[in-house]
Amino acid sequence: MLRTIKVILIMLVVLALALGVAGCGGQQTKDTKDSKQTSAQAGGGQQPAGKQKILVASDTTYAPFEFQDPNTGKYVGFDMELIQAIAEVNNWDYEIRSMNFDGIVPALQSASVDLAISAITITEKRKEQVNFSLPYYQSGQCVAVKASNNTIKGFDDLAGKKIGVQIATTGADEARKIPGAKITDYNTINEAFMALKNSNVDAVVNDYPVTFYFIQQGNKDVKIVGDLRTSEFYGIAVPKSKPDILEKVNSALKTLKENGKYAEIYKKWFDKEPPDFLPGEPPAN
Amino acid sequence: METVISSLPVLLLGAVKTLQITAISVFFGCILGLIAGLSRLSRNRVLSFLAVCYVDFFRGTPLLVQIVIVYFGIPQILKDVQSQLVQAYGITPVFENIPIFFAAVIACSLNSGAYIAEIFRAGVQSIEKGQMEAARSLGMTHGQAMRYVILPQAFKRVIPPLGNEFIAMLKDTSLLSVIGFEELFRRGQLIVGATYKAFQIYLTVAFIYLIMVILISRLVDYLERRLKTGD
């Protein structure tokens, strides 16, 4: 009996300590913000000696934006070429750190990476946690079902259905607004597509270009139904503690727009010209 | 801190799911394990060979891989077989998909069964030879001796490692998060995905696991002591 009490006491103490640390967590990020900035400036002094090294977070399972070329093992895609072009403009030495999509914002919050490019939609909620560059791609959510399914014809038919999404994406947010729908969150969108093919879910809600690309790659047993539900813009996410990097990303995006490199990459991956405003804020209307 | 408190109900529901899947898996694992463990000890060569294959495969491959195979891999094969049968014999298709709960139970039970098989085998082998000899010289058959003399004693010795297996399985169910099964860890991931409070939420998740494991290990200790009084 005494031993049990002892164990419970120890546990309580550890719990209290840990919660104390957790409680401080919020303030700590604020404190380190300033110190990070100063250290970045201090580091800036040494930079002329070599290229600045940038760590880039990306969920590299999202073709055609970022994925691994199965033959070479290299990361390719629209986002990957864009970040390469940005790095060239800024004279950066960059390294891609592949991680799960739901881990990207936490990684940026702790500033363990310098920026993230991963088809990340700019949302108000994410803006509270990280800074976003100028929008560089316009996207929207679509519904994918099996080609043999004739009952689901768009978002309006999804009530009460089983829906597969990728964890922490805007597609998951959109699917959660559907009344009575049973949502399953997968780590990567490809698992959601597999679940659709295996009939574990009735539909997948995801960014249109990715679903479109997936079907194009020989998955003819899946089809897209209905219209796009949302108009979303992708941005490059940067930790709030690194405004200098955000500035460089934005100026590089402007340079790439002016010298035509952006349009070239866009055309290569999506086979059409980019809208006039990209990269940049869309015209208000 | 508010996020932790407001997410506690959701997390605790996940903890219930975790306990559920663990209990069901270990229960089926015990049945599988008893069969496989005794088959390994059997003098029937074919039976013991099959048991060895089963145990080696499921102890020799990671649970994560087994889960993915059961949920993503097997349905594809079953569907291929089914479509061939439909074409060849005109059978009406019956297999549609594996519900996630079944996939989770199948993968965890098979894995657990392999470990429990070894626990049972070790338990039976730990009973002194003299017990069997004495039982046989009383005129019992091999089967009777097993049932009335060896197994009851073996079960008592098997309780602590079975408790360990239960605790190990409880922690390993967090791997089910890869197929989107909403157990405790997955719910934590989902909350982090929505709130971006990684440290606080995952720490809370860890503590809920810790509390469950400590409670279970106390329970096993208690059972062990109660059974010892009979010695």
Side-chain angles (χ1 to χ4, degrees):
Chain A
M1 196 60 210
L2 253 174
R3 267 189 57 203
T4 328
I5 292 171
K6 231 179 183 172
V7 168
I8 290 172
L9 264 179
I10 292 171
M11 268 176 54
L12 281 178
V13 170
V14 176
L15 186 70
L17 272 177
L19 282 180
V21 174
C24 297
Q27 289 150 10
Q28 254 171 9
T29 45
K30 265 185 198 144
D31 296 340
T32 46
K33 218 192 251 177
D34 304 289
S35 59
K36 278 255 170 60
Q37 243 163 338
T38 45
S39 70
Q41 276 156 9
Q46 303 159 352
Q47 250 135 56
K51 281 183 169 182
Q52 192 179 356
K53 190 137 171 65
I54 300 286
L55 259 183
V56 178
S58 188
D59 165 26
T60 50
T61 57
Y62 212 59
F65 289 96
E66 45 268 320
F67 57 107
Q68 205 172 25
D69 186 322
N71 301 318
T72 61
K74 281 205 176 109
Y75 297 130
V76 293
F78 176 73
D79 281 355
M80 294 294 105
E81 286 191 18
L82 187 63
I83 196 66
Q84 190 184 354
I86 290 170
E88 271 165 24
V89 170
N90 286 327
N91 196 25
W92 280 343
D93 209 4
Y94 75 100
E95 187 190 317
I96 302 289
R97 184 145 299 174
S98 179
M99 53 174 71
N100 280 345
F101 191 75
D102 57 314
I104 287 178
V105 172
L108 289 165
Q109 279 177 309
S110 63
S112 52
V113 293
D114 297 302
L115 60 89
I117 184 164
S118 194
I120 307 170
T121 300
I122 303 169
T123 65
E124 288 306 315
K125 201 149 186 210
R126 288 177 185 156
K127 268 189 189 167
E128 288 167 18
Q129 316 293 338
V130 298
N131 284 334
F132 278 103
S133 72
L134 292 170
Y136 71 90
Y137 186 83
Q138 183 176 18
S139 181
Q141 300 294 327
C142 73
V143 179
V145 296
K146 282 190 134 184
S148 55
N149 185 329
N150 292 320
T151 53
I152 300 176
K153 294 195 173 68
F155 272 95
D156 299 331
D157 301 325
L158 286 178
K161 293 282 191 297
K162 284 185 279 181
I163 304 174
V165 294
Q166 184 180 9
I167 184 168
T169 58
T170 42
D173 294 341
E174 201 59 36
R176 287 212 156 70
K177 291 180 194 156
I178 296 162
K182 271 191 73 188
I183 316 286
T184 308
D185 296 72
Y186 295 91
N187 278 338
T188 67
I189 194 61
N190 301 322
E191 284 164 12
F193 285 140
M194 261 196 280
L196 178 65
K197 289 183 113 182
N198 287 346
S199 306
N200 287 316
V201 294
D202 301 317
V204 169
V205 174
N206 188 44
D207 292 349
Y208 175 78
V210 174
T211 307
F212 180 75
Y213 187 85
F214 171 76
I215 294 169
Q216 240 187 356
Q217 295 301 304
N219 295 291
K220 299 292 178 207
D221 48 342
V222 174
K223 67 177 177 186
I224 293 172
V225 290
D227 295 327
L228 300 194
R229 170 54 64 97
T230 56
S231 170
E232 305 182 354
F233 295 94
Y234 295 166
I236 296 169
V238 182
K240 282 201 187 280
S241 57
K242 297 186 175 182
D244 47 325
I245 292 199
L246 181 68
E247 212 169 281
K248 281 187 172 167
V249 166
N250 275 336
S251 69
L253 279 173
K254 279 178 193 150
T255 313
L256 293 172
K257 185 182 182 180
E258 279 157 20
N259 69 13
K261 178 86 178 158
Y262 173 82
E264 189 188 305
I265 299 172
Y266 194 99
K267 215 166 172 235
K268 177 179 168 190
W269 286 100
F270 304 112
D271 216 16
K272 58 184 174 201
E273 296 291 337
D276 286 337
F277 61 87
L278 284 175
E281 300 294 342
N285 52 10
Chain B
M1 198 63 210
E2 304 93 69
T3 1
V4 170
I5 290 166
S6 63
S7 60
L8 259 184
V10 181
L11 288 177
L12 289 177
L13 277 178
V16 170
K17 268 242 161 115
T18 291
L19 276 176
Q20 227 176 30
I21 201 88
T22 310
I24 295 173
S25 299
V26 173
F27 172 75
F28 284 119
C30 277
I31 297 172
L32 271 173
L34 189 59
I35 296 168
L38 292 180
S39 303
R40 256 200 90 165
L41 291 170
S42 139
R43 273 163 297 182
N44 184 330
R45 281 277 183 79
V46 181
L47 214 56
S48 78
F49 176 74
L50 285 177
V52 169
C53 285
Y54 164 68
V55 170
D56 278 355
F57 182 80
F58 282 96
R59 290 207 321 162
T61 54
L63 177 58
L64 183 59
V65 178
Q66 293 161 14
I67 291 169
V68 178
I69 289 177
V70 169
Y71 191 59
F72 291 122
I74 289 180
Q76 273 171 16
I77 292 179
L78 283 179
K79 278 206 165 159
D80 286 351
V81 170
Q82 180 175 274
S83 69
Q84 269 173 6
L85 285 178
V86 168
Q87 272 173 2
Y89 305 105
I91 298 166
T92 45
V94 277
F95 176 76
E96 187 52 26
N97 63 55
I98 296 188
I100 194 160
F101 189 81
F102 280 109
V105 168
I106 291 170
C108 290
S109 301
L110 285 173
N111 182 277
S112 194
Y115 285 95
I116 292 174
E118 289 295 89
I119 293 173
F120 277 137
R121 184 181 63 84
V124 169
Q125 282 180 336
S126 76
I127 306 300
E128 298 77 13
K129 240 188 177 158
Q131 297 281 329
M132 175 59 97
E133 283 163 2
R136 293 305 293 277
S137 52
L138 283 174
M140 287 185 181
T141 64
H142 181 81
Q144 280 174 328
M146 265 294 187
R147 214 170 335 140
Y148 299 117
V149 180
I150 308 292
L151 284 183
Q153 297 184 72
F155 268 120
K156 217 187 281 180
R157 297 199 181 166
V158 151
I159 292 288
L162 263 189
N164 281 345
E165 169 58 24
F166 192 92
I167 287 169
M169 193 29 84
L170 183 88
K171 291 184 283 183
D172 284 348
T173 52
S174 62
L175 294 171
L176 291 170
S177 63
V178 294
I179 55 170
F181 184 78
E182 285 198 25
E183 36 67 72
L184 177 53
F185 177 60
R186 187 61 178 178
R187 291 197 175 214
Q189 274 186 321
L190 288 172
I191 294 169
V192 173
T195 63
Y196 307 112
K197 301 255 187 299
F199 183 74
Q200 293 92 317
I201 298 294
Y202 287 140
L203 195 74
T204 314
V205 166
F207 268 103
I208 297 176
Y209 275 114
L210 182 64
I211 290 165
M212 287 196 291
V213 166
I214 287 181
L215 288 179
I216 291 164
S217 68
R218 297 297 116 170
L219 194 74
V220 174
D221 279 357
Y222 172 77
L223 266 180
E224 204 185 327
R225 252 177 316 178
R226 278 301 297 273
L227 287 170
K228 248 202 190 114
T229 52
D231 277 347

